[in-house]
Amino acid sequence: MTSTATTFRTHDGVTRDRKIFIFALKAGGTAKTSTTTALAAQLGLRGYRVLVVDLDPQCNATRVLGRRPFRGGQMSITDVMADDAELKDVIVQARYRVDPEGDGDSSFEFIPNVYLAPGNLDHPDIDDAERILNAEDGNVFWLKDGLDDLGEEYDAVLVDPPATYGRLTVTALVLLDHATEGAVIPPVLCTYKEADALVRLEKKLGEIGERRMYQRRGIRPRMKYVMACAAPTASFGTEEHWETFNELKEEYGEVLLPPVRWSGVATKIYRNECAVPILSPNSRPAQDYAKVATALGFPRR
């Protein structure tokens, strides 16, 4: 499952080396945010420059990466969407909390090589993304164009979209054209409800691929990998968990990434404002996300 970076040419004619991964699934609580932030931290600790884009109006990736609440004057991804700022102007370095009682910058340390286009939960338009995008003549390429303008700044871009297939998620999916190395990666909890959502995701990707407006720009989002999250272990898991996990292996075995085993540490990342590999580097999930990073083509340096 290991892939290698591909050099490609963007709309401005400049070649890039970059991978883009979109953690999408129309189901809530499927570990999209914990996966996005954990992989970002793993890649950063390995020396890769990473940009996380928080498109979810809940802004949970922004919280885990130490950037909520906002400072005065700080701008967010919603400002970029509304054409009030450029993507490069809202990016900040990701952080993790070291002082649970503090509330200033001194309470955080920077995560090396990890950067964030944050979401602002208090932005007046945070819940009106669909309206904003519809008002912009159907423009879903604002993020794609903004990333192209960043050039070779990042080795990887990780996108945390909402648990819907509206325009915000389509904005993420159209980042994957025929010349872009990357994939849609659905994190799936080992229960039937979430596993069944994979069928709907594949249908949505097919619909995008069939639309002429996307075909003209070579848009080709593909679900090249599947992730099993909160996978059962010898000490955790009901019959339902094991049955679903085995069904995932049978159905998606060729593209199934190393499973991320269940651990209570995953529930602590929001309160602690700290991604799993930093919060608990020796935990099962941290070890498993390290294997996932390698499988995605980011070996230890």
Side-chain angles (χ1 to χ4, degrees):
M1 275 184 273
T2 301
S3 57
T4 56
T6 300
T7 300
F8 61 92
R9 188 172 297 274
T10 63
H11 75 287
D12 58 5
V14 179
T15 57
R16 310 274 193 252
D17 286 322
R18 182 178 60 200
K19 294 183 181 181
I20 297 177
F21 297 108
I22 301 152
F23 300 96
L25 194 66
K26 191 177 180 180
T30 64
K32 292 188 291 292
T33 297
S34 56
T35 294
T36 303
T37 55
L39 282 175
Q42 283 285 5
L43 298 186
L45 293 171
R46 292 185 178 190
Y48 298 97
R49 285 179 62 84
V50 184
L51 174 64
V52 174
V53 180
D54 190 356
L55 288 182
D56 191 339
Q58 296 183 75
C59 306
N60 284 326
T62 298
R63 173 184 287 280
V64 175
L65 295 178
R67 286 295 180 174
R68 206 170 87 186
F70 269 42
R71 289 180 173 183
Q74 184 179 342
M75 305 190 84
S76 73
I77 196 69
T78 304
D79 297 298
V80 182
M81 183 191 317
D83 204 24
D84 292 329
E86 294 186 31
L87 181 60
K88 64 181 179 64
D89 295 327
V90 308
I91 294 172
V92 291
Q93 188 165 3
R95 309 185 300 185
Y96 64 96
R97 181 176 287 279
V98 293
D99 179 4
E101 304 299 328
D103 58 5
D105 289 343
S106 62
S107 303
F108 294 87
E109 295 285 349
F110 290 117
I111 305 176
N113 305 307
V114 180
Y115 297 83
L116 171 70
N120 183 359
L121 193 65
D122 297 319
H123 193 289
D125 293 325
I126 189 66
D127 294 319
D128 290 329
E130 302 297 319
R131 175 186 59 77
I132 293 172
L133 293 179
N134 283 326
E136 293 296 321
D137 299 322
N139 177 27
V140 293
F141 298 109
W142 59 273
L143 181 57
K144 182 177 181 62
D145 293 341
L147 288 175
D148 285 347
D149 289 340
L150 294 177
E152 298 180 348
E153 183 129 6
Y154 302 98
D155 300 304
V157 177
L158 310 183
V159 185
D160 186 11
T164 69
Y165 294 145
R167 282 192 173 272
L168 263 180
T169 298
V170 172
T171 289
L173 297 178
V174 300
L175 299 176
L176 298 173
D177 59 28
H178 69 281
T180 301
E181 178 77 6
V184 178
I185 304 179
V188 182
L189 297 185
C190 292
T191 64
Y192 178 79
K193 177 175 71 72
E194 281 76 19
D196 188 52
L198 289 171
V199 176
R200 298 193 297 275
L201 174 60
E202 291 182 289
K203 179 180 179 182
K204 183 63 178 181
L205 298 181
E207 291 173 355
I208 290 175
E210 292 171 0
R211 293 194 62 179
R212 296 191 66 178
M213 67 173 287
Y214 300 135
Q215 290 177 348
R216 286 195 295 268
R217 291 193 60 155
I219 304 303
R220 296 177 59 185
R222 294 289 185 271
M223 192 181 78
K224 297 180 182 178
Y225 306 97
V226 173
M227 283 193 63
C229 295
T233 68
S235 59
F236 168 82
T238 64
E239 182 179 346
E240 167 68 15
H241 290 108
W242 282 107
E243 183 177 355
T244 302
F245 183 50
N246 289 328
E247 288 173 350
L248 287 172
K249 289 194 292 184
E250 181 177 352
E251 182 71 20
Y252 298 99
E254 293 184 0
V255 297
L256 195 65
L257 289 163
V260 177
R261 293 166 291 177
W262 182 89
S263 170
V265 70
T267 64
K268 300 177 181 178
I269 61 175
Y270 304 100
R271 179 186 298 275
N272 289 274
E273 296 178 80
C274 187
V276 164
I278 297 173
L279 178 63
S280 184
N282 295 318
S283 65
R284 284 174 172 173
Q287 296 171 20
D288 294 339
Y289 280 120
K291 295 176 183 177
V292 172
T294 300
L296 291 176
F298 298 92
R300 298 182 187 277
R301 289 175 164 174

